[in-house]
Each structure stands twice: as C-alpha cells, then as structure tokens.
Amino acid sequence: MRRQLVRAALFLLAVVTLDACARKIHIKDLEPEEIETTLFLIGDAGEPDPRNNSFVLDSLKRQAAEAPGRAVIVFLGDNVYPNGVPIDSSLTWPDARRRLEAQVNAVPPGARGIFIPGNHDWQQSGPYGLYSVRLQERMIAGFAAGRDIRMLPGNGCPGPAAFEVGRLRFIALDTQWWLHDFIVRDAQSTCNTTVRGVTAALRELIRTTADGRVAIVAGHHPMMTGGEHGGYCGITGPFRRLGGNSQDILSSLNRTMRDSLESAFKVKPPLMYAAGHDHNLQVMKGAPNAQYFVVSGAGSQAKAACAVYMRESYYVSQHRTGFMRVDILRNKGVLLSVFDYSGAGVPGASFSRWLEVR
Amino acid sequence: MKSVVRLTALALVTLVPVIASAQATEAEIATLRLLAVPNTALPPLSLPMPASRNHNYFIGRFQVGYRKGPSGDRMPAFAGGVDFQYRGGSIVGITGGMQRRDCGIPGTDCGTHPLFGVRSQINLTTGGSIFAGLLHDNSATSTLGTEFGFGYAPRYSGDRNACAIDFGVPFSVAKRRQRPRFVGYLSPGIIWDFNCGSRGPGSTKTYKTDFGLALQQVGNRSFDIYFGMQKLFRGRTGFQTGLSFSYVRLP
C-alpha cells in the first residue's frame, strides 16, 4: 500500500514538474509598421449594458483607433437582441436603436465596420426575419452617415459577399439564411437564393484566392464549437440533439449547412472560419476544411457563457467578454490575439498564435 | 470386513481435513473470480476528453495493471482495446488481454489467463462553470457521466470462468489553458461477479471506487496518459494501480 502511495506521489510530482516546464502562453508583440491590415472579430454584442459603457467595445475602439486606416471591425451577428430591429412604430424600436448605435459608435472614424446578421437579427428566427434584417441594414447606413460601415451580406442575401484589403480576402456569409424557416427571398432579392448557387459562388471565391493572400470566411453560426450550441454545457447538453433545434450543431439542418460550406472550403481550405453564436471565445483546429475555426461571441457581458475545452481546442475562455484581433503582416505572417475581460473589466491579451508563420 | 470399513472411515476422518487444507476456500475462489476480470484487473480511465460533435472518433488503448491477490502474490495484467467515441462524447469499447494468476493459493493454477471486456462510458453533462471559479482557470472543464462494464475471464482458476458487470458514476475535472491538460477523476460504483458456464461460489456484490490522474494531449493532440487506482471494498483485495495510454485518431 505504501509503495503504491509513493508511486502515486511520484506521478503527481512528475505532473507538477511537467506543468512547470510546459510552454507558457506568450503574447507576441508586433511593430506597428509590420501590420498591413488588422481585423477585429466581435460577436453577439447586441446586448450592451444600458447604464454603463461596454468596456469591451471601448477597448476595441481604442485599439482600432490606433491605426483606423488599416482596421476592419467585424460584428459577427446577433447585433440586436432579442428580436432584431422591429418596425419603427414598435415599442421596442428605440431600444433596438440603442443597441445598434452602441456598436456603430465603437467603429472609430476612418475604420471599416462590417455587420454580419445572426439568428436574433432575423427576428430570432421569426417570420418577419427577412424584413428585420433589411431594417437593420438601413439603420446601420443611417448611423454610418457616409462612413464605411455596412451590413454584409446586404439585402437579406445569403452571400457570399467578399472584399479585399491588402493581402486579405474577406468573405461574409449570412448563415441564418440557411437555417431560417420562413421567407428568405422576395421580389427585392437580387442575389443567389439557392443552396447550390450559394455554395458554388463560395467555392469559386475560395478557389480564386491567389497564393499569398489570406482567405478568412465569417458567418454567425460556427462550424465547430464547444459551447451550448455544440451540445455542451449544462445538463441539457447531450439531450439537445433530441430537440432538433436548427441553431445547434447537432441538428440535421445545421449539418446540411455545414456540409455545404465545407464542400466549398475543400477546394482550398481558408485560413480561418470565424463565427459568433456561442457566447465565449474559442480557437480550434479546423482541419481538414479550414485551418482554424474561431468563435468570438463574447461581445455582451450579460450573455457571456460556458465553453468546453475540446480535443480540437487551442484556447477557450468562458464566462468572460472579449474579442479577437487578427493582424495580417505585409509580406507573410498572420497573428491571432484573444482579448478577454474579467467581470471587473480587467483587460488583457490572454492568448496569441501565429496562424501563418512570418 | 468390518475392520476394513472402520479403517477406511478413520482414514477419511483424518485425511479429509488435510486434503481440504490444500484447496482454496470458497471465499478465496470468489475473490480470485472478482479480481480476474478486466473490470478489476485493469486500471480505471477517466471519462473521455470531450471533442467536437462534428465527428466520431476511434481510440486505441493500451493498459497495464497491477494488484496483489488474496495470497499476497502479484497479479499483473495488460490489455489492449479499441473505443468508439460517438460525436465527441460517450464511448463504447472492447478490451482483450492477459493476467497472471495468483499462485499463492494452494490448489490453484499458476500461469496466465485471458480476459475480455466491453465498456461504455456515457457522458451526461460537460461544462465547467463551477470548477472554473474554484480552480481559477476559466478553461476548466468538468464531466459527469455513467459507465457500464462487462468482463469475462475464462479459466481464471482451473476450469472456472469468471464474469462481472459493473456500474459507476464517473466524474472528472480537467484544467490548464494549454496542452497537456491535467485531469483528476473519481468513479464510485458497484460490481457484481458471477460464474460463467462453470462451477464456483455464488455471485457476490462489491462496492468500489475508481480514481486517478491523467495528462491529456501529451506531446500531441491525440495522446493521453492515465494513472488509475481502484479500491474494492472487500477483504484481501488491496489496491489496484496501473497506467493506461490512449491515442485518438483525429480527422
């Protein structure tokens, strides 16, 4: 018995020693002149505190304002909780306006702002969803007042909608379009509105990304997640699959969407697929269909939630707000940094990783 | 003739106890049966590390266990197995291996016997909120589940075959923001052992506690090492200790 206890103690000692010797998280620093484009990823920010300024949005704005000319801020959906933007005669319209305005104001002058729609923006997957998304697009344009801040894809279209800045080719998708149970097109829709057409267009955009360019695809729904929508967290976790909620990874409709997107990614796996939806921060191995999957859905303090560290995870932060920053260097190199904030708002970069080694 | 009968009776009265003392008792045989199956011969494992629900995974496993038999003799065992992890959560697996018999009990065989098993661990809930605060690590993950195991060990002593079924309630906590992840695990449970198509003592029930420490994702994303121990709440069974190594095939 004593010998066995000694063995156990030795094993524990080895574990502790290994921990001490193991790699620590080093936050990498860059010289500002090396950076060509900085992409900020923040999701599910549609529930800002009505009493206080959001320290996440404040911090994001400060970082983007250091070099606004090269900053692109992407809001990864669920920009207005709980039901998107209603018609302007609705009692909830002023509050929807407040929620959106707080985010538009986080885009400093000179920076580009992109709003991707999420399921809550589609009237929480409701029948008025398509029109709610269009109302939000108009509201954003009103706040932007001529600045480069817009909804992408626009007009309730599924995308893909792409733009290029330096080495970056950014491709935006409206993934709720795939999962919505109500009207997703009407006479005003002037875009691809079939699954086959959308998938083919995405495939073509990814295939034609020139060597040396960095392809980043973004949509609201994750391709992989260790959060609530991935069937983790809470006693309902493993049983959520029985519910058939299309917002969850385990549902068949969600799987159909992911299969279609992955079939498009296969031709030339993009560097990253970025999403929100789950209210935490996750960096995951995305192989074989994308190099990295990230979830950055921790834009609202009131929503911050659980996440599980999975075998595919590089980094997980739960119950904290935060955002991600992707610095694309001029010639070679892409650095991802994660900033998370404790309840008291203590800021800090908590993780960084070279997605493309310089 | 009468004297022959008397002599025979006398011989039986004097010799039978001697013969009996050279045989294992029922209790010893029952203990040997309990210790012969993979449920007790091999070290316990934690619930599997959660993985993405996007895929199913195959896991290869090698285990080495050690414990002392009722006579104090060593009973090392080794086994290999394959597990199937469904959608990154629950697993079902098969195991095959060998165990050295307890040679110290009179009348029992030496050498080794094979052992086979089937085990399922059902992941009921995986989260981390409570333990993230307790461990000051907001990447901490805890998992609660249930496990069922069936073990079979042919010819564990003479021509006797052992079977056992066990049930446990495993709980594990993993922490550390980066690889390797540290895991502590505990699984209280119960095990029933019985004869499988052979004679032997009646079936028995024993409470148990499995526990251990593990390092997940050592060196690479797929490789895990477990140091497991088992305490059976039954006399002369001691502690079981052992190491397990597993490798997950990732897509």
Side-chain angles (χ1 to χ4, degrees):
Chain A
M1 176 63 195
R2 180 180 287 180
R3 193 179 291 177
Q4 284 164 334
L5 286 176
V6 169
R7 280 182 200 151
L10 282 174
F11 181 79
L12 194 63
L13 186 68
V15 166
V16 173
T17 310
L18 261 174
D19 185 34
C21 300
R23 307 176 280 165
K24 296 290 178 195
I25 296 173
H26 295 292
I27 304 304
K28 292 140 186 121
D29 289 323
L30 294 173
E31 296 299 326
E33 60 270 18
E34 290 180 276
I35 303 168
E36 183 182 64
T37 307
T38 302
L39 192 67
F40 293 92
L41 301 168
I42 182 167
D44 306 70
E47 187 137 314
D49 188 330
R51 287 162 293 274
N52 300 309
N53 286 339
S54 161
F55 43 75
V56 183
L57 291 174
D58 281 354
S59 174
L60 185 147
K61 185 177 185 177
R62 271 203 302 278
Q63 288 198 32
E66 285 172 10
R70 64 167 192 239
V72 180
I73 301 175
V74 181
F75 293 89
L76 292 161
D78 287 358
N79 311 314
V80 178
Y81 281 105
N83 298 316
V85 176
I87 52 172
D88 56 9
S89 59
S90 165
L91 290 173
T92 55
W93 185 85
D95 192 61
R97 188 177 193 280
R98 170 188 73 81
R99 289 163 190 263
L100 201 55
E101 189 174 23
Q103 293 163 79
V104 173
N105 287 344
V107 182
R112 181 183 291 200
I114 304 293
F115 283 81
I116 292 174
N119 54 306
H120 283 271
D121 303 312
W122 282 71
Q123 204 212 1
Q124 198 174 357
S125 311
Y128 186 66
L130 179 64
Y131 309 104
S132 184
V133 167
R134 286 178 179 157
L135 287 176
Q136 186 177 137
E137 186 178 7
R138 263 180 256 155
M139 194 182 269
I140 290 167
F143 287 133
R147 291 158 60 203
D148 192 359
I149 302 173
R150 59 198 152 120
M151 179 171 273
L152 211 64
N155 197 31
C157 289
F163 65 83
E164 293 183 350
V165 189
R167 291 204 301 131
L168 170 68
R169 171 172 276 190
F170 183 83
I171 303 168
L173 298 169
D174 184 345
T175 47
Q176 177 59 24
W177 177 89
W178 297 71
L179 307 175
H180 204 62
D181 283 333
F182 302 96
I183 296 170
V184 293
R185 62 181 162 201
D186 62 7
Q188 287 183 48
S189 302
T190 53
C191 50
N192 239 324
T193 51
T194 62
V195 166
R196 179 175 287 193
V198 174
T199 308
L202 177 62
R203 186 179 294 117
E204 189 60 16
L205 269 174
I206 289 171
R207 194 185 61 77
T208 55
T209 304
D211 291 340
R213 278 196 180 280
V214 175
I216 293 180
V217 184
H220 177 66
H221 294 86
M223 304 289 282
M224 178 188 286
T225 173
E228 191 182 355
H229 291 293
Y232 285 112
C233 299
I235 196 75
T236 58
F239 304 107
R240 283 177 77 102
R241 75 187 67 178
L242 305 175
N245 181 355
S246 65
Q247 299 298 318
D248 291 349
I249 285 275
L250 290 161
S251 73
S252 57
L253 195 57
N254 193 296
R255 189 171 183 178
T256 303
M257 176 192 76
R258 288 185 288 110
D259 286 349
S260 298
L261 299 184
E262 287 188 354
S263 76
F265 292 172
K266 264 183 191 151
V267 290
K268 195 172 187 178
L271 180 67
M272 176 199 284
Y273 176 82
H277 201 41
D278 260 326
H279 304 148
N280 46 50
L281 299 160
Q282 302 175 63
V283 181
M284 291 160 285
K285 181 185 165 88
N289 297 321
Q291 294 178 50
Y292 292 90
F293 289 144
V294 303
V295 173
S296 179
S300 300
Q301 179 66 43
K303 295 276 180 191
C306 158
V308 164
Y309 192 105
M310 301 186 297
R311 205 166 273 284
E312 290 86 352
S313 302
Y314 287 104
Y315 178 79
V316 160
S317 173
Q318 57 181 334
H319 295 292
R320 287 189 179 183
T321 50
F323 61 89
M324 294 186 187
R325 171 180 173 147
V326 183
D327 287 302
I328 299 163
L329 308 193
R330 289 188 191 286
N331 298 316
K332 199 173 182 219
V334 177
L335 180 68
L336 170 74
S337 306
V338 181
F339 294 82
D340 68 10
Y341 299 79
S342 68
V346 178
S350 52
F351 175 79
S352 66
R353 182 180 177 88
W354 286 104
L355 305 186
E356 179 191 80
V357 180
R358 66 175 163 179
Chain B
M1 185 62 196
K2 269 187 181 177
S3 61
V4 174
V5 172
R6 276 178 193 156
L7 275 173
T8 307
L10 184 67
L12 281 171
V13 168
T14 49
L15 288 177
V16 162
V18 175
I19 294 165
S21 72
Q23 292 292 320
T25 63
E26 287 266 304
E28 283 171 332
I29 294 291
T31 306
L32 283 179
R33 183 180 63 195
L34 172 65
L35 302 185
V37 286
N39 320 48
T40 55
L42 299 173
L45 293 157
S46 75
L47 283 158
M49 183 176 186
S52 158
R53 303 286 197 200
N54 299 28
H55 306 286
N56 298 319
Y57 305 81
F58 279 101
I59 305 171
R61 173 165 44 80
F62 180 73
Q63 294 179 271
V64 183
Y66 173 85
R67 79 181 318 144
K68 285 185 177 173
S71 77
D73 198 12
R74 296 172 177 185
M75 297 177 73
F78 71 91
V82 178
D83 298 320
F84 172 76
Q85 187 175 20
Y86 176 70
R87 297 273 162 213
S90 307
I91 63 164
V92 60
I94 53 169
T95 303
M98 301 288 282
Q99 185 187 38
R100 185 178 180 272
R101 294 187 178 108
D102 182 347
C103 254
I105 296 178
T108 57
D109 302 332
C110 290
T112 59
H113 68 83
L115 42 84
F116 305 98
V118 179
R119 173 159 298 274
S120 171
Q121 290 182 313
I122 297 164
N123 177 336
L124 288 179
T125 174
T126 304
S129 309
I130 297 168
F131 285 89
L134 287 175
L135 299 171
H136 301 290
D137 177 351
N138 81 331
S139 69
T141 298
S142 56
T143 307
L144 177 70
T146 58
E147 63 181 334
F148 304 90
F150 170 76
Y152 172 60
R155 306 181 68 79
Y156 70 93
S157 174
D159 58 354
R160 298 183 183 95
N161 304 327
C163 277
I165 294 171
D166 75 295
F167 169 76
V169 185
F171 176 72
S172 61
V173 180
K175 75 175 290 268
R176 200 163 179 282
R177 280 172 173 268
Q178 283 194 309
R179 294 185 276 152
R181 298 267 288 171
F182 295 159
V183 185
Y185 56 98
L186 175 75
S187 176
I190 191 167
I191 179 166
W192 292 271
D193 60 293
F194 49 93
N195 304 308
C196 260
S198 66
R199 66 192 168 82
S203 61
T204 59
K205 174 182 78 177
T206 309
Y207 292 99
K208 62 162 188 156
T209 299
D210 297 342
F211 53 99
L213 294 168
L215 286 171
Q216 287 173 336
Q217 302 192 310
V218 183
N220 69 49
R221 202 164 282 281
S222 298
F223 186 60
D224 303 338
I225 302 173
Y226 302 85
F227 177 79
M229 297 182 82
Q230 182 184 64
K231 172 66 185 164
L232 293 168
F233 296 99
R234 183 153 148 189
R236 299 173 74 185
T237 54
F239 271 90
Q240 203 270 112
T241 55
L243 284 171
S244 304
F245 307 90
S246 70
Y247 188 87
V248 181
R249 188 172 171 274
L250 291 172

